[in-house]
Amino acid sequence: MSTTPPPRPELDREGDEWDPAEQKPLWHRIIFGTKPFEVVHTRRRLRLSLIFTMVVFSLLAARLIDLQVVAGPATAAQALDGRLVSVTDPAIRGSILDSNGVVLAQTVPARDVTVDPWKVDDPQDYAAKYSSVTGMPVNDVLKALERKTNADGTKQRFAYVQRHIKVDLWDQVKKLNLPATFPEVSSVREYPNGALAANLIGATNGDGDGIAGYELALNDQLKGTDGKRTYERSGTGAEIPTGNESGTSATAGSTVQLSINRDLQFVAQQAVNTRRKEVKADSIVAAVLDVKTGRILALAQSPTSDPNSPKRTSQGLRNLAVEQEFEPGSTAKVMTVAAAVNEGKVDPTTPFDIPNRLVRGGFPFKDDVDHHGYKMTTAGVLAKSSNIGTIQIAERIGAAKLDSYLQAFGIGQPSGLNFPAENPGYLPSLDKWNPQTFSNIAYGQAFSVNAIQAASVFATIANNGTRVTPRLIDSITSPDGQTTEAPASSSTQVVTEQTAKTMISMMEEVVSKRGTAPQAAVPGYRVAGKTGTAQLVNEDGSGYGSRYVASFIG
């Protein structure tokens, strides 16, 4: 076989020589050349390399245009959305003050503790350290550290560990250097006087809304309007100082000034706490009213509860003076006697024969003790608190008149305090009265009142027969400093000034040695008052039981 190579072609104009390697594939010749380590067609190689480079850069440019121009805004927005955090800027809740401006409830700076659970590698260690400083149960901390995912499968990178902790407590938490743990500005409600007046002030919940007392009744005025703030958060969870930020500012709540005098409230609170222990009562309420204005100067009760305490009870935050109804018993005899005196049917010296029993409506009524029969004046009936004598006095004016006076004294009507959960008591309509009902009502049973209504009856007598609607609020000051004084209480002339003075003279006998409350006498002072004892109805409604409500008003 001949090995003679084929005829050599002519040299091309670039001077290249023919070689069998040129028979290799085009891509091989472009990359490796036609001969190993041999200079070949330089211009063609450069052209092809340039074309290849331009293609690559064109692809990169196209991708860059897609990212920056076509999908750029959407991608940037998506990235920003991942960094943006929207939080509520809580409004500073308005304060509650006593009549002299002493703070009874206020809002102080606090912090909400937040964490990225996915950055906590040792939840048990985290929870133990956090609990050791704050006292928060370890299990509650661990629950906050649970790793969760969103509906789209992304990780939830934000959770609250604890809300509304005081700043000094946050400072202690900060020293622990816990991973991915950051504060948010918050606030907490504080009651500087503890349980004092808690039955009036009430309390707020974890969200800062009122749940009892005037915190609830005046929630709209006190809470203000929250703001909104949106800011950028870094990958570690911290706020980016120069990042995007927007929002609206919060508007603080109004300040409420009560008619309560803190010092007088303290004295009243000490008195009811002591007396409750002495007599082993379920509860005791004490109210002090300014008879001229209707302003309540003190309204204490036992038991009560400290609204600052996590162990506070809803029972302790109730305002028993308006929420608890009871049959007034003999304190109601003041209304019956005042009505008869005002109608001119009796005077302090009008005599009465008081039998041991008085049958009305088929029922034998009696006094607190059996007796052979008394001769008493009107003043004596009131001083000795005779049930039978009071029925006889009431019969001189009749049911319709007695009913009209009870209503004028405010029985069966709201007290005017606009307090949440107030029980206005009960006065049966006149068409439901029968001889037995009439007799019971005359001496203070078969209808009910709350403590403020009962006290208001005596304030009416003390105020020369003019009933002034009780009130607990003196003023409300808006965030801009404008103060709105509470309007003067409405008033009603129930009995004449002369009748009121006559009643006061007769009630002074009650605290004398001849009356039912000599221990209420105060040396050097004239004291007018009335005792009351009423049986409580059994819970099953089966009649009166062995439990009592005892009262003294003067």
Side-chain angles (χ1 to χ4, degrees):
M1 178 180 297
S2 174
T3 59
T4 303
R8 183 175 178 178
E10 293 184 1
L11 293 176
D12 61 24
R13 55 188 174 181
E14 263 71 358
D16 286 342
E17 295 185 353
W18 176 87
D19 190 274
E22 291 185 359
Q23 302 304 314
K24 292 181 179 295
L26 178 62
W27 64 268
H28 189 281
R29 284 180 281 151
I30 292 173
I31 298 174
F32 298 104
T34 57
K35 287 185 178 182
F37 312 107
E38 184 178 336
V39 177
V40 295
H41 204 325
T42 304
R43 289 187 178 179
R44 186 172 59 186
R45 180 76 56 80
L46 289 174
R47 282 198 302 269
L48 291 174
S49 298
L50 182 59
I51 292 171
F52 180 77
T53 302
M54 291 179 65
V55 170
V56 171
F57 274 102
S58 296
L59 293 174
L60 292 175
R63 179 56 178 161
L64 187 61
I65 291 172
D66 178 61
L67 288 174
Q68 294 288 344
V69 179
V70 180
T75 304
Q78 185 177 6
L80 182 60
D81 285 344
R83 299 192 305 272
L84 287 179
V85 177
S86 293
V87 295
T88 297
D89 183 14
I92 300 298
R93 191 174 180 86
S95 298
I96 299 178
L97 313 176
D98 88 331
S99 59
N100 293 319
V102 176
V103 174
L104 302 176
Q106 64 183 351
T107 296
V108 297
R111 296 293 182 265
D112 291 340
V113 183
T114 71
V115 68
D116 180 351
W118 292 88
K119 292 184 180 293
V120 179
D121 296 326
D122 190 346
Q124 287 289 346
D125 179 67
Y126 184 111
K129 290 179 178 178
Y130 191 91
S131 178
S132 68
V133 169
T134 64
M136 185 176 179
V138 170
N139 287 338
D140 291 347
V141 182
L142 289 172
K143 187 174 181 180
L145 297 176
E146 291 178 359
R147 293 182 172 183
K148 300 177 182 179
T149 56
N150 298 309
D152 59 1
T154 58
K155 297 176 180 178
Q156 288 187 11
R157 310 307 297 254
F158 177 87
Y160 285 110
V161 181
Q162 196 172 14
R163 306 285 302 274
H164 312 302
I165 70 171
K166 292 187 177 179
V167 174
D168 57 349
L169 184 56
W170 161 250
D171 290 340
Q172 297 179 50
V173 172
K174 185 178 179 180
K175 293 177 182 178
L176 296 174
N177 292 318
L178 297 171
T181 302
F182 302 95
E184 283 186 352
V185 176
S186 180
S187 60
V188 66
R189 199 64 164 166
E190 184 178 71
Y191 303 91
N193 300 286
L196 188 70
N199 53 309
L200 302 177
I201 302 167
T204 58
N205 60 19
D207 294 325
D209 289 320
I211 57 172
Y214 275 129
E215 291 276 32
L216 172 60
L218 301 176
N219 189 59
D220 289 342
Q221 292 95 319
L222 288 166
K223 71 178 182 179
T225 304
D226 290 341
K228 283 285 186 182
R229 191 167 74 94
T230 301
Y231 63 89
E232 282 189 73
R233 175 176 284 180
S234 69
T236 62
E239 181 177 351
I240 301 174
T242 58
N244 289 334
E245 183 175 356
S246 62
T248 56
S249 300
T251 302
S254 298
T255 294
V256 176
Q257 187 164 28
L258 302 181
S259 59
I260 294 297
N261 177 292
R262 184 195 59 174
D263 296 339
L264 190 57
Q265 179 77 15
F266 177 80
V267 172
Q269 188 65 54
Q270 293 296 102
V272 296
N273 287 344
T274 300
R275 191 60 177 159
R276 179 166 170 254
K277 291 178 181 178
E278 291 174 349
V279 300
K280 297 180 172 61
D282 290 338
S283 63
I284 294 186
V285 170
V288 181
L289 281 71
D290 181 332
V291 301
K292 297 294 183 184
T293 64
R295 296 171 69 245
I296 298 178
L297 308 181
L299 189 57
Q301 72 178 46
S302 182
T304 186
S305 189
D306 185 351
N308 293 306
S309 172
K311 297 181 180 180
R312 69 191 183 192
T313 64
S314 57
Q315 178 69 18
L317 295 176
R318 290 180 61 201
N319 185 358
L320 300 180
V322 295
E323 293 185 36
Q324 195 174 65
E325 66 171 336
F326 57 93
E327 293 184 338
S330 294
T331 57
K333 292 172 182 174
V334 168
M335 292 185 286
T336 301
V337 176
V341 171
N342 204 59
E343 291 295 314
K345 302 299 182 181
V346 298
D347 61 37
T349 62
T350 303
F352 291 91
D353 291 321
I354 313 298
N356 188 44
R357 293 289 186 276
L358 183 69
V359 178
R360 293 292 185 268
F363 183 85
F365 289 91
K366 64 175 186 174
D367 289 326
D368 61 327
V369 294
D370 286 329
H371 53 81
H372 295 295
Y374 293 145
K375 284 188 178 294
M376 289 183 174
T377 62
T378 301
V381 167
L382 193 63
K384 289 293 185 180
S385 199
S386 170
N387 295 336
I388 292 175
T390 305
I391 293 172
Q392 292 176 327
I393 291 172
E395 288 176 339
R396 296 203 173 191
I397 59 173
K401 279 291 183 184
L402 179 59
D403 176 62
S404 67
Y405 274 95
L406 292 176
Q407 292 193 49
F409 274 110
I411 304 304
Q413 304 161 30
S415 65
L417 297 181
N418 297 318
F419 209 84
E422 177 175 352
N423 189 325
Y426 171 71
L427 178 64
S429 59
L430 186 60
D431 59 357
K432 294 181 179 179
W433 291 25
N434 56 40
Q436 185 175 337
T437 304
F438 170 74
S439 299
N440 275 319
I441 288 176
Y443 66 83
Q445 301 228 211
F447 71 96
S448 62
V449 296
N450 61 44
I452 294 299
Q453 291 170 329
S456 179
V457 169
F458 286 70
T460 299
I461 299 299
N463 191 34
N464 296 322
T466 300
R467 177 176 176 265
V468 180
T469 302
R471 64 180 174 91
L472 268 164
I473 297 175
D474 276 350
S475 65
I476 296 180
T477 302
S478 62
D480 61 5
Q482 279 197 324
T483 298
T484 302
E485 302 289 340
S489 297
S490 60
S491 61
T492 304
Q493 192 72 37
V494 180
V495 296
T496 65
E497 181 177 346
Q498 183 56 49
T499 296
K501 289 180 178 179
T502 299
M503 292 302 302
I504 289 172
S505 296
M506 287 193 287
M507 285 193 292
E508 286 186 61
E509 289 296 309
V510 173
V511 300
S512 71
K513 292 180 180 180
R514 298 179 297 277
T516 57
Q519 59 269 59
V522 180
Y525 290 85
R526 294 177 62 193
V527 178
K530 183 71 186 76
T531 56
T533 306
Q535 287 178 282
L536 284 174
V537 177
N538 293 324
E539 292 182 0
D540 60 5
S542 59
Y544 292 103
S546 58
R547 300 172 69 242
Y548 294 83
V549 173
S551 57
F552 176 84
I553 314 176

